[in-house]
Structures are given as C-alpha cells and as structure tokens.
Amino acid sequence: MITCDQTYDVIVVGAGHAGCEAALASSRMGCRTMLLTINLDAIALMSCNPSIGGLAKGHLVKEIDALGGEMAKNIDATGIQFRILNTKKGPAVRASRAQADKQQYRLRMKRVLEHQANLDLKQDEVTSLYLENGRLQGVDLRSGIRYLSQTVVVTTGTFMRGLIHIGLNHYPGGRAGDQPSVGLSDQLRELGFDVGRLKTGTPARLDARSIDFSQLETQFGDNPPQPFSFSTKEITMPQLPCHIAYTNQRSHDIIRSGLDRSPLYSGIIEGIGPRYCPSIEDKVVRFPDKERHQTFIEPEGIDTIEVYPSGMSTSLPIDIQIAFYRSIVGLERVEIMRPAYAIEYDYVDPIQLHTSLETKSISNLFHAGQINGTSGYEEAAGQGLIAGINAALRVKGCEPLVLGRSQAYIGVMIDDLVTLGTKEPYRMFTSRAEYRLLLREDNADLRLREIGYQLGLVSDQEFAHFSEKKNLINDELERIATTRLVNSDFQLEELARRGLHDIQKGTTLEHLLKRSDFCYSDLAELDPVSRETIPEIREQVEIQTKYRGYIDRQLEQVEQAKKLETTRIPISLDYASVKSLTTEVREKLSKSRPDTLGQASRIPGVTPAAISILSIALKSSSWKEHVQ
Amino acid sequence: MYIRDTIAAVSTPPGNGGIGIIRISGDLAATVGHTVFKPVNDGGLVSHRFYFGTISDTSTGEKIDEAMSVFMRAPRTYTREDVLELHCHGGWLVVERVLALVLSCGVRLAEPGEFTRRAFLNGRIDLVQAEAVMDIIASKSEAALQLAQRQREGILSRRIENVRSCLIRSLALVEAYIDFPDDDLGETDVTSICSSVKEAQDIISDLLLTFEEGRIMRDGISVLIVGKPNAGKSSLLNRLLNENRAIVTHIPGTTRDIIEETISFEGLSIRLLDTAGIRHTDDLVEQEGISRALEKIPLADIVLAVFDTSREFSQEDQLILEALAGCRTIAVLNKTDLLERFILPDEERFVSIIKIAALSGAGIDLLKQTVCRLFLHSAGLDSRESVALSKARHRDALVSAELSLRHFSVGLRDRNLELLALDLRNALQAVGTVTGQTATDEVLDQIFSSFCIGK
C-alpha cells in the first residue's frame, strides 16, 4: 500500500446525496476534504425517481437549505416541475415537490463540488478503513493507495455487496451499470458492527416516443413554480407536465403469471424491502381486490425521451415486465429502455451510532444515508449534512451538532434511527414528528438559519436577508397585536359586506386574524398598512397567529421534556451496576447505549420508573461507587 | 415523565383517617394555593405559616371542606421546590375531591417515590438516602408492573387495547390522507374515522363508569336523607336500619349535625347521612341551620328527598327542592298508605320516584334496590367480572383521552386533518400511559396494511 503524504481532515466515501452534502459541509467549514466515488460521472445521481421532496421529504430539503446545504439550490436550478402538496390542508403538512432533470441535477452538483475550495474529488473504491491500534487513520483504495485522514464519513448507498435481481437472474452491482463496493462491509462486520441486508427496487425506464400520451391524464405543476431554497429568487427552467396512467385487471393477471419466477416470492431475495414503496407484484399480491394501481409517468429530463413510471418498480423477469407495462392503457406499444430491477445491499444498524452520527465503537467514523438503513435522497442528504458538519466539528475540537426532535425533521429522523435502529428501509413521514405543528416547511429558516450561519455554511448575505425577514415578522406581529379597528365608514362597510356584524370597534387586527373566517388578505382590505406587507411575511404572521394556541401548547411540551433531552448519559455508564434497574431494562439500555435520558425514554420497554432511577444514578457525581 | 412540572398526591395513608393531607410540589404550587384555598383572613399565604380557611371548587364556587393549609416557598422545603400542603378532613370523599380539584389546575399525579426523587435531584438528600429511594421506586414500580400484568390477563387491558386499536385505526386514516396526497386514496373517509372514534369514546365512558363502580365497591356510597320533619325521615332511617342488622359504625356528628349510619346491602356499603338536626321554623336562624346542613348535599353520592304525601306540597318542600337543584335525587313519597293529597312538581328532575310506607315497610326493598342499581350498572355485583378501574392514574389517563376526543369531535367541523391528528395522538398517548405503549409504528403498520401506498 502506498501512503499518500497528503493528510486530510475529512474523507467522504461515496458521492451520492449524502456524500455530496457531507463533503460540501466539511470543506465549507474550512476542513481539508476528499470526496471519493466509484464513478465520477455518477455524482448526485438520482438512481431511482427523478424527483425531490414530497411530504416530510420537502421539509427535510428546506431544513437542509436553512442549514446551508446544497440540495434545495440544486433542485431549484434543475427542476422541471414544482408543486406544493396538501395546499388544502394545514400549513404544517404542506410540502414541496419537484421533478428534476436528472442529468442536469447531477452535472450541476458536480460543478459545485469542483469549484469548492478545500475539496478534492477522486474516483476510486474504498476497500477498507485503515486503523492503527483500533484508531481510525484513513482509508485504503482499490488502486493501492492509502489516504490518511482524521475523520471518515461513510455514505455507501446501495453499493456495499450490492446484488441486482431481474427475475431469477442476479449479478453483483451497486446500481445498474456500476460496480458494487466489495470488502468494506466485510471489514465493518469483522470490526464488530451488526451488518444487515436490505432491498429496494426501481421501475423500468420507458421510451416516451412509444407512449400515447393522448390517452393519459395530464398533470401540470404550479404556476408560478415555488422554489425550495430560501435563497432562490425564481425558477427559470422550462416546466414540463407529468402524466397519469393506471394498471388494470389484465396487468394484474400478467403479474400473477410471473410470480413463480419472482426472486421476491421464490425466496432468493433475503433483504427486507420498504413497505411504503412496494413493488407492483407486492401491491397486486397484498391488495388483490384493488382494481387498478395508479402511476405517474414522470419525465427524466428535458433533453431525453426516457420517462419514469412511478410506483411500478418490479423484479419480475423481463418478459413479464414488457407484457405488463404494455397492458396499461396508453402504453400498448411501449418500449423499455432500461429494465426494472431490485437491489440488495448491506447496511449497518444505526442503533450503533451516536446522535452525532459517529459510530459508538470507532471514534471519528461517521455513517450517513442508506448505510444507516434509510431510503430516499432527502433522508440521505439530511444525514450527510449532519455527518459532514460533525466530522468538521470533531476536527476543530468542538461539540457535535445534534438537532432535537422539536427542532427539525432531521432531528426526528436521526433520533429514531440511533435510538430504535431499523429493520426495514426508513423513510421520513410527517406522522413520525410529535411536534409536527412546530416543524413546518415555512419556518425551516426560522428554526435553523442561525445554526447554519454560526457553522459558517450560510453566507453573510443570506443571513442578512434572513435577519431582515425575521425582524419584519416580529414587527408585523407586534403591529397587528396593537392596532385596533377604528370602524371608519369604509371598514364598517367592508365588514358588513362580509356579513361580519359582530365585530366591535377596538378589536385588534390580531383578534380578527385569529378568526377562522378571516385571513390576512381580508385584513389587507380593511387596513392600508397590511396591504403593503410582502407575501412571505404575510404567510408567517398568519400561521403564527392562527395556530398560536396549538403552537404554544406544543412549545410547552417541548419545554417540559427539555430536562430529559439535555441530561447526558456517559457512554461509559455500566448499566449492570445500576442495581435497581430490572434485568430487561438493563439489557435494552446496554444494547442501545443512549446519549441522553430523553433518548432512553423512547426505547420501548424502558419505563418511567427506570428513567427516574437512571436520573438519580446520573445525578450522583460519584456514581461509580454504586458498583459493588 | 416530565421533570419540571408540578405534582400532587395524597400523602396520608389511604382510607378514612382523622386528617387527609394533599401535598403539591412544583412551580404551580402557589397558584394552586391561591386558586383552591381561601384563608379566613382573606389575605395571601405567607411562606411556612399555617392558615385556616376553606377549599372551594373553582368552577362552581362550591365549598368542599374547611381545611388548614401551609405554603412553603423553595428552597426551604422537602423537594426544594415550592410546596403546598392542604390538610382536610380525613373522609375519603373529601380527600379525593380535593385531589381531583388540585389535578384540574394543571397538576399531575405524582409517580411512586417522586417527591423523594425530586428531593434528591435538587440536592436535598444525600446519596445513601437516594439509593434507598431508587429501591423504593424499583419495588413500587415492580408492584405496579405486577398489578398491570395481572390486569393484562384481565378485562381492563383488553378493553384498553380495544380503545387503542380504534384510535390507531382512525389516526392511520387521518395520517394516510396527510402523508400520501398523491397516492390515489380517494376522498377522506370521515365516516370511518368518526365511527372508530365513537367506538373508542363508548368504551372509555364505560370504563370510567366502572372506575366509579370499582371505587364504590371499595368504599361504598353515601346517601343523604333530607326532608321536613314529620315527612317520615326518621321512620325511613329506622326501617332501613332495622331491616339490616349489619350496622358497621355509628358516628355521631360533631360539628356537622349529621348522623352517619352504615348498612350493607347486597355487598354494597351504604352510608346513610341523616340530617337529623334540621327542624323547620320561620325563624331565620333556623333557616340558616337548614342551609348549613344542606351544604353537605354535594358531598353525597345521592340524596333521598322524603315527602309526606298525606299533606299537600308545602313551602318547606319547595325550599328543600331548591336546595337540591342539580343533585342526583330520588324522590321518596312516604305515607302512601294514607290518603294522598300530594302532587310532586317537576317529576323529570328526579333520578327515580319511589313510593313507600315507612311504618309498614312497604316499598323499602324497592328503594334499596333502586339505590344499588344506580351505582352498580353492570349485571350482578361480582366485581371480578366488571372492569374495576381502581387506580386514579388510569382514570386520569382515560379522562384526558376523553377530553382529547371531545376536542376531536368539535374540530371535525373545520376538517383540519393535522389538528384532528393532534387530538387523536394526544388521546392515544393518554391511553398508552395505562399500558405503557407508544403508537407511531403501529399507526404506520396500520396505514401500510390498509392502503396500497407507494410510488
């Protein structure tokens, strides 16, 4: 092994959505960073669906942006359809989603990485971590070179021992067209990590020229398109529609006829797949009464004829694939350009991580993305950002950044992962967040911008813009709380026109805005000053006023839980020595080794009584004297 | 599980003692003091001083008991937090009502050993003592666990499980429409969501009834007998007592002018509170005496209003009826063996109307059965068959779940799914504290098994 004389602060293994955010974060924080990838032409590649965002995922993207990550800016620059979902529901569950031009998305991210100071990009495969006396020193590469580094962030996606299935055929691969990563997960297993196997899948890519779009429903994006990033002024990419098609009984019969050659049902695939993203054969088998299944035919880009039929992933043999795609109305003559496939890969149970995403058993080693058992670009990017930040903070000798469950979806996700581990691919849902009303897309900047700025990831200009917005919101909240209706003739007329006769003179604007039949634009009709308020301030003022009761109640819960969340448990704590704990609780705590009492309280089977006992054990400074 | 909130518990041993102390510790202690306790001098509470005064229900203004109270400002207290102690008369009824009142002020029922735990965490006691506390918590929670496990085999946990699965079902429906807007799930199925919630509500109110029943089986009920003199109150009391030889106690009232007798009927312990001291005249002082006796009415589980049907409805009867406004009352029409001249006004306000002849004993059995049936809803009196929700904590949880579900029903009008989800989640969390379960994963399981989701 040839050792390179150049030493890095941070080495990031893998240049997918996690790896890119990790490498950008650490290099922007001033750390000498190297980003390694098996294929430099596949940086930030969207291996599955050509879209970013959706429920809870859109929230993650906005949080990444608020903290100074790249994902939101990248999709804003390359997105070809933008939609806000759930606009008819409450503000906390509204979410942004965008279709991407897949190639442009990848190329723009590569360009950003290439122009980033402190960052080296290299194509090679990491075959093992390099440790000396159990201490992490760097990585060894397939080409025979050894790079030294203080910290390593592993973001291997589906590449570790990746195995691709199409029908009963299977072959090693990290993604269709790419080699798998071999050796690294064996080493992790030898180092004592609990390594498991997961499965995911992707649909075929179809030739748009062979689809009769006149037979399909058309779905356009919002006009004007709303960007993800708090820094993007407007979307300039041309916008394209998606199309909606449906399977039918004949499609389902074809699928059933191929089940005997399905690797899923013949037991060849051992990895566990995501229940929220089942293959089409899984849907047909599990919901036999459902007459049809919907698919969005999504464009893969502006300059390509490849389209992506969402929800139609499969590992059935290629002949069945062709027959079943062609059974769909409008797709009768469809040509498959790339077959659908399933992929199995190694992951490392994230219960073995701290909330900083550093592994508990090897210092300075961080894991992010699918290696932690998650699925989704946004989930990966969120973890990558945190892992990159924390690797950099380690190099600088600072405390890690841990986002709380009441602060960010990123915090909920990481806490779920490291506290409970996962046995199936983990995806973010808004229902996982107990403080959902606090964690909205619209206030991601109010929650996290400051943190991003302090880390050095948010520019002065961006932060100045944010501070101004924050001040305007506070000023406006203050103004509507103190401005009262004087009931001039025009106000009375306006109120009467709306059938609001019960409103008294002297009512504050705030009081009016709290009413369910009154929104900010109504206020603007009554009050000339409100008319001048810009949309992003209006939105915040309206949400914060209308939902104040609920928001305050959640804030109160957060405050009450704070003591538990901030009480740290030393990693060295020997649970066996806390004699009052029951054996069951002791075993659970020893396995999971939580970082805080709050985390401990979320482990199933750890009772409130056990938390009480633990808190007492921790409080006694010389708790080691408990050991008998 | 919160550490900084305010807690309360009865700190005297359970049962009827001479005195019952409710202890409250935490930031809200002072507020609770101001809210529920009025010292006679009508001033504030100076720290570490004992005051005499009254405890009143804040919502109705109704006086519950005369009591002593002491407020102790942190840090010179056992827990080193603000502490309030309310010393009331030791009857279980009073103590429980005061505790319920305190809990309604945003205070939580304390966990086993929690006062001592706080004392330790705030540096009030040392490590040796603390180790003892840890063992106490462990053993008490062990006992609670065993109790829970016993209950797990029983009906309670099955019923709670039913409530949870109803709530999980509705929450899953709500969450599915929130999290999967693009998944072709059709219109929000409000009917299914509501019918599951309704089912849960029904089980909860049944359970709360049996909680009441469990308490009643353990502690018995109190029955207040009121009526003008010569209505036949004394004959009724004697008849009830004579018929039942099982007199447990005979406590002459001290300052309360009330005679308390306990009888047992079909396993139910009935305490008869006879307002023997009341005698009617037109004298204002005497009327004051009547009204003072009638103050005890709210403390009773049920009132027997005795009327003499051989006379016409009188001014005095009217006076009593007015005093009974809002109370659960059985009208006992006595002397029905004589010529009836009596017409009872406003019959619907009575829980039941029973005709008796106290001298001959006619109708007495029916009266007793009626009383029993009012309190023991489930068939028979075998408490092993009914779900006895005996723990106040369980009741707390169910009451809080019920409240959240009421919020839910109100919120249905606006159909704001995320707020409906919040209410359902709060209800689930409350119910979960009885069995110690959290629900996020189960909700997701439910979504994935009932909907075909995935893109």
Side-chain angles (χ1 to χ4, degrees):
Chain A
M1 208 45 80
I2 302 145
T3 303
C4 179
D5 50 11
Q6 156 102 40
T7 298
Y8 287 91
D9 294 325
V10 180
I11 288 179
V12 179
V13 183
H17 306 280
C20 289
E21 295 291 353
L24 284 172
S26 66
S27 54
R28 285 170 179 171
M29 286 170 71
C31 293
R32 284 287 295 141
T33 304
M34 174 165 66
L35 178 58
L36 282 160
T37 170
I38 283 182
N39 182 355
L40 274 174
D41 293 326
I43 283 175
L45 187 61
M46 302 176 126
S47 313
C48 194
N49 56 322
S51 72
I52 296 283
L55 259 290
K57 290 165 169 278
H59 292 74
L60 287 170
V61 178
K62 296 245 173 184
E63 290 176 359
I64 291 166
D65 184 63
L67 287 166
E70 195 62 31
M71 182 171 248
K73 288 174 182 159
N74 214 51
I75 182 64
D76 285 347
T78 60
I80 53 178
Q81 186 196 88
F82 290 78
R83 279 170 62 212
I84 311 268
L85 308 177
N86 276 347
T87 46
K88 292 203 179 74
K89 294 170 194 152
V93 297
R94 271 171 225 156
S96 311
R97 186 177 187 281
Q99 298 297 136
D101 183 304
K102 184 178 276 188
Q103 300 307 326
Q104 291 199 41
Y105 187 92
R106 146 182 98 76
L107 289 168
R108 183 192 176 274
M109 187 64 92
K110 183 164 187 251
R111 201 158 55 238
V112 169
L113 293 165
E114 285 170 348
H115 288 85
Q116 178 59 47
N118 297 326
L119 180 60
D120 291 344
L121 276 173
K122 294 189 193 300
Q123 177 169 307
D124 210 327
E125 180 191 345
V126 173
T127 50
S128 65
L129 301 171
Y130 168 53
L131 288 91
E132 247 178 39
N133 303 324
R135 282 197 64 83
L136 182 67
Q137 302 290 337
V139 293
D140 290 344
L141 304 185
R142 178 77 62 206
S143 61
I145 194 164
R146 167 174 294 164
Y147 283 104
L148 301 179
S149 169
Q150 292 193 51
T151 61
V152 175
V153 180
V154 182
T155 70
T156 45
T158 58
F159 275 66
M160 287 197 303
R161 289 212 307 133
L163 187 65
I164 290 172
H165 297 265
I166 301 175
L168 298 180
N169 296 336
H170 47 86
Y171 58 92
R175 161 177 55 219
D178 277 313
Q179 290 300 309
S181 151
V182 180
L184 186 55
S185 62
D186 292 331
Q187 186 201 17
L188 290 173
R189 215 177 267 113
E190 280 162 27
L191 286 169
F193 284 101
D194 183 6
V195 179
R197 202 113 169 103
L198 294 175
K199 168 245 160 186
T200 187
T202 192
R205 303 305 188 273
L206 308 175
D207 183 337
R209 294 171 305 174
S210 60
I211 294 175
D212 180 0
F213 287 100
S214 69
Q215 305 238 42
L216 309 183
E217 293 168 36
T218 307
Q219 189 192 46
F220 292 96
D222 295 341
N223 191 15
Q226 297 296 318
F228 276 87
S229 173
F230 292 101
S231 309
T232 303
K233 294 271 181 295
E234 63 174 334
I235 302 298
T236 53
M237 286 284 283
Q239 300 293 292
L240 294 181
C242 293
H243 293 84
I244 301 172
Y246 298 94
T247 61
N248 51 47
Q249 285 305 327
R250 199 165 67 81
S251 327
H252 302 171
D253 289 341
I254 295 167
I255 287 164
R256 284 189 201 100
S257 76
L259 288 181
D260 57 334
R261 287 182 292 144
S262 150
L264 201 60
Y265 289 96
S266 58
I268 294 176
I269 290 181
E270 46 185 85
I272 300 163
R275 282 175 304 167
Y276 45 82
C277 193
S279 60
I280 184 65
E281 55 268 35
D282 220 8
K283 293 181 184 180
V284 168
V285 169
R286 285 181 48 220
F287 296 92
D289 297 336
K290 204 161 156 72
E291 286 168 10
R292 61 179 200 177
H293 295 277
Q294 179 183 257
T295 172
F296 285 82
I297 309 285
E298 304 174 9
E300 292 243 314
I302 289 172
D303 293 327
T304 176
I305 53 165
E306 283 190 81
V307 293
Y308 172 99
S310 76
M312 298 289 128
S313 81
T314 179
S315 54
L316 289 168
I318 188 70
D319 55 314
I320 300 287
Q321 289 188 22
I322 295 168
F324 117 77
Y325 284 122
R326 285 184 178 171
S327 71
I328 296 171
V329 173
L331 275 65
E332 291 85 354
R333 296 179 305 106
V334 80
E335 288 296 335
I336 289 179
M337 294 177 72
R338 309 182 198 220
Y341 64 93
I343 182 163
E344 285 185 283
Y345 55 97
D346 283 349
Y347 82 108
V348 181
D349 195 337
I351 204 164
Q352 302 162 94
L353 302 177
H354 290 294
T355 37
S356 60
L357 294 179
E358 184 180 21
T359 68
K360 285 172 183 165
S361 56
I362 298 182
S363 299
N364 303 326
L365 176 64
F366 296 80
H367 288 175
Q370 274 168 305
I371 189 173
N372 288 338
T374 60
S375 86
Y377 311 145
E378 304 82 355
E379 285 85 346
Q383 295 167 65
L385 178 64
I386 297 296
I389 288 171
N390 284 332
L393 289 173
R394 168 58 50 81
V395 171
K396 293 163 181 280
C398 302
E399 283 294 302
L401 171 69
V402 175
L403 298 176
R405 297 183 69 91
S406 60
Q407 251 180 318
Y409 273 90
I410 296 176
V412 173
M413 167 175 66
I414 293 176
D415 184 75
D416 278 349
L417 290 170
V418 306
T419 307
L420 307 173
T422 188
K423 297 282 170 248
E424 70 169 329
Y426 176 102
R427 187 191 135 175
M428 199 66 231
F429 301 107
T430 69
S431 64
R432 294 195 196 270
E434 61 272 47
Y435 304 119
R436 179 160 63 190
L437 290 179
L438 303 182
L439 306 184
R440 307 185 305 272
E441 268 198 2
D442 64 75
N443 71 354
D445 55 344
L446 293 169
R447 291 183 275 126
L448 301 169
R449 208 52 156 167
E450 192 119 16
I451 295 173
Y453 181 63
Q454 274 161 13
L455 289 167
L457 296 175
V458 171
S459 71
D460 288 339
Q461 192 195 344
E462 285 170 327
F463 190 66
H465 175 255
F466 163 74
S467 302
E468 192 194 336
K469 175 181 169 187
K470 200 173 151 189
N471 290 338
L472 286 173
I473 293 166
N474 290 337
D475 291 350
E476 179 61 5
L477 283 171
E478 168 93 33
R479 189 188 73 85
I480 64 162
T482 51
T483 306
R484 292 171 187 280
L485 282 185
V486 288
N487 278 12
S488 64
D489 285 347
F490 101 92
Q491 284 183 339
L492 279 175
E493 261 171 45
E494 183 60 33
L495 287 170
R497 198 174 62 78
R498 291 171 184 279
L500 302 172
H501 302 291
D502 55 333
I503 292 172
Q504 307 284 317
K505 181 179 168 182
T507 304
T508 60
L509 299 183
E510 178 187 37
H511 199 80
L512 271 178
L513 193 52
K514 272 191 191 305
R515 296 175 60 113
S516 59
D517 55 359
F518 219 84
C519 60
Y520 198 97
S521 55
D522 298 324
L523 212 57
E525 302 284 328
L526 288 178
D527 169 52
V529 184
S530 303
R531 214 165 299 157
E532 307 300 317
T533 312
I534 57 171
E536 58 176 349
I537 307 301
R538 284 187 180 202
E539 182 190 31
Q540 272 314 307
V541 169
E542 181 163 341
I543 293 170
Q544 290 188 26
T545 304
K546 280 199 182 304
Y547 291 82
R548 180 160 312 145
Y550 291 93
I551 291 171
D552 285 350
R553 210 182 323 153
Q554 294 220 318
L555 285 173
E556 210 172 285
Q557 290 169 358
V558 172
E559 193 52 40
Q560 285 175 326
K562 204 170 182 178
K563 185 81 185 265
L564 285 182
E565 298 301 334
T566 52
T567 306
R568 298 192 58 80
I569 304 175
I571 186 77
S572 56
L573 180 64
D574 176 11
Y575 291 98
S577 71
V578 186
K579 53 179 182 168
S580 304
L581 293 174
T582 62
T583 318
E584 186 201 355
V585 167
R586 237 181 263 156
E587 275 170 10
K588 288 192 158 141
L589 290 170
S590 307
K591 178 168 190 282
S592 143
R593 285 191 284 157
D595 287 339
T596 63
L597 275 184
Q599 224 189 316
S601 72
R602 285 186 286 279
I603 297 169
V606 175
T607 59
I611 295 298
S612 298
I613 290 167
L614 259 184
S615 67
I616 293 175
L618 291 173
K619 172 78 182 181
S620 55
S621 50
S622 57
W623 73 270
K624 272 184 183 145
E625 290 167 22
H626 285 259
V627 185
Q628 295 175 329
Chain B
M1 184 127 7
Y2 307 135
I3 285 195
R4 281 298 304 177
D5 57 355
T6 303
I7 53 171
V10 179
S11 54
T12 38
N16 286 342
I19 195 168
I21 300 176
I22 289 116
R23 187 192 269 167
I24 298 123
S25 176
D27 294 344
L28 283 180
T31 320
V32 173
H34 290 309
T35 316
V36 307
F37 182 77
K38 285 273 166 302
V40 279
N41 67 6
D42 219 22
L45 300 177
V46 173
S47 186
H48 291 80
R49 289 226 183 124
F50 250 104
Y51 289 88
F52 175 70
T54 53
I55 295 174
S56 305
D57 188 327
T58 40
S59 54
T60 62
E62 165 207 322
K63 186 173 135 193
I64 296 176
D65 197 15
E66 288 176 345
M68 301 289 291
S69 170
V70 54
F71 172 72
M72 291 166 275
R73 174 77 65 194
R76 282 198 303 134
T77 68
Y78 179 58
T79 56
R80 293 224 166 146
E81 300 173 335
D82 288 354
V83 169
L84 177 75
E85 284 182 3
L86 298 168
H87 298 228
C88 34
H89 291 98
W92 59 270
L93 198 60
V94 173
V95 174
E96 284 204 357
R97 281 201 66 189
V98 174
L99 180 61
L101 179 65
V102 167
L103 295 181
S104 74
C105 298
V107 173
R108 173 173 63 77
L109 201 60
E111 306 280 339
E114 193 167 6
F115 285 97
T116 315
R117 171 159 65 93
R118 289 184 177 209
F120 173 74
L121 290 180
N122 294 324
R124 173 70 171 68
I125 55 176
D126 68 17
L127 188 65
V128 181
Q129 289 169 292
E131 282 189 338
V133 178
M134 283 156 78
D135 285 341
I136 289 168
I137 296 173
S139 66
K140 284 211 180 170
S141 63
E142 195 66 31
L145 193 70
Q146 277 170 7
L147 186 72
Q149 271 164 351
R150 239 177 287 139
Q151 283 172 333
R152 194 159 298 161
E153 294 151 17
I155 303 168
L156 174 63
S157 65
R158 280 215 301 279
R159 305 290 296 280
I160 293 278
E161 202 36 59
N162 289 343
V163 173
R164 291 189 78 243
S165 56
C166 288
L167 293 179
I168 285 174
R169 207 155 53 228
S170 9
L171 183 58
L173 281 171
V174 175
E175 296 289 7
Y177 292 111
I178 289 175
D179 261 337
F180 303 98
D182 269 356
D183 269 79
D184 195 23
L185 306 180
E187 283 298 301
T188 313
D189 185 358
V190 179
T191 320
S192 298
I193 295 171
C194 290
S195 74
S196 291
V197 169
K198 179 77 177 52
E199 204 179 326
Q201 276 175 320
D202 288 348
I203 304 175
I204 290 176
S205 42
D206 273 4
L207 280 172
L208 283 173
L209 268 182
T210 64
F211 166 77
E212 195 61 11
E213 207 163 293
R215 174 180 78 83
I216 282 161
M217 285 309 296
R218 192 182 67 226
D219 300 319
I221 58 166
S222 58
V223 177
L224 187 75
I225 305 174
V226 297
K228 63 183 180 185
N230 298 324
K233 260 184 316 127
S234 320
S235 323
L236 172 61
L237 180 65
N238 283 335
R239 187 50 79 175
L240 289 169
L241 294 175
N242 286 341
E243 293 278 321
N244 292 274
R245 306 278 167 205
I247 298 173
V248 181
T249 55
H250 180 105
I251 310 162
T254 46
T255 60
R256 301 179 183 197
D257 298 326
I258 287 176
I259 301 292
E260 192 172 317
E261 308 275 3
T262 304
I263 63 169
S264 173
F265 185 73
E266 291 187 16
L268 178 66
S269 161
I270 302 176
R271 278 171 312 122
L272 298 166
L273 305 164
D274 184 16
T275 57
I278 300 175
R279 229 171 311 147
H280 175 74
T281 63
D282 287 332
D283 189 323
L284 282 174
V285 178
E286 292 277 352
Q287 283 191 6
E288 172 63 21
I290 292 176
S291 63
R292 198 178 292 175
L294 294 183
E295 274 176 17
K296 299 300 166 194
I297 288 172
L299 297 183
D301 290 306
I302 192 137
V303 176
L304 302 183
V306 185
F307 300 102
D308 178 353
T309 57
S310 66
R311 290 154 193 267
E312 284 179 21
F313 184 80
S314 65
Q315 196 98 52
E316 294 147 10
D317 291 322
Q318 181 62 33
L319 190 71
I320 289 167
L321 279 190
E322 279 166 16
L324 291 175
C327 297
R328 281 178 101 192
T329 307
I330 296 178
V332 180
L333 307 184
N334 193 18
K335 306 191 190 175
T336 49
D337 47 345
L338 301 177
L339 185 63
E340 289 194 40
R341 298 208 176 93
F342 185 83
I343 299 166
L344 184 64
D346 205 10
E347 292 192 356
E348 309 83 63
R349 70 175 296 281
F350 296 99
V351 186
S352 183
I353 297 167
I354 309 286
K355 293 185 175 181
I356 62 160
L359 275 181
S360 70
I364 295 291
D365 278 347
L366 180 64
L367 176 60
K368 286 194 288 191
Q369 280 162 11
T370 306
V371 170
C372 286
R373 209 158 299 133
L374 275 175
F375 289 93
L376 303 171
H377 300 264
S378 53
L381 292 175
D382 189 349
S383 61
R384 279 165 303 177
E385 282 303 310
S386 66
V387 185
L389 253 186
S390 48
K391 303 268 288 180
R393 203 178 306 282
H394 294 172
R395 184 174 175 279
D396 254 14
L398 290 176
V399 167
S400 132
E402 199 180 38
L403 186 71
S404 296
L405 293 182
R406 221 172 298 146
H407 266 260
F408 172 90
S409 304
V410 173
L412 266 178
R413 267 177 298 133
D414 296 337
R415 296 215 176 170
N416 188 328
L417 289 181
E418 63 191 300
L419 300 184
L420 292 178
L422 190 71
D423 291 328
L424 288 176
R425 202 165 278 275
N426 285 342
L428 254 178
Q429 202 175 8
V431 171
T433 58
V434 176
T435 50
Q437 290 158 291
T438 52
T440 304
D441 276 347
E442 285 169 80
V443 172
L444 290 174
D445 287 348
Q446 179 76 35
I447 294 177
F448 300 136
S449 61
S450 27
F451 291 107
C452 183
I453 271 164
K455 299 182 40 170

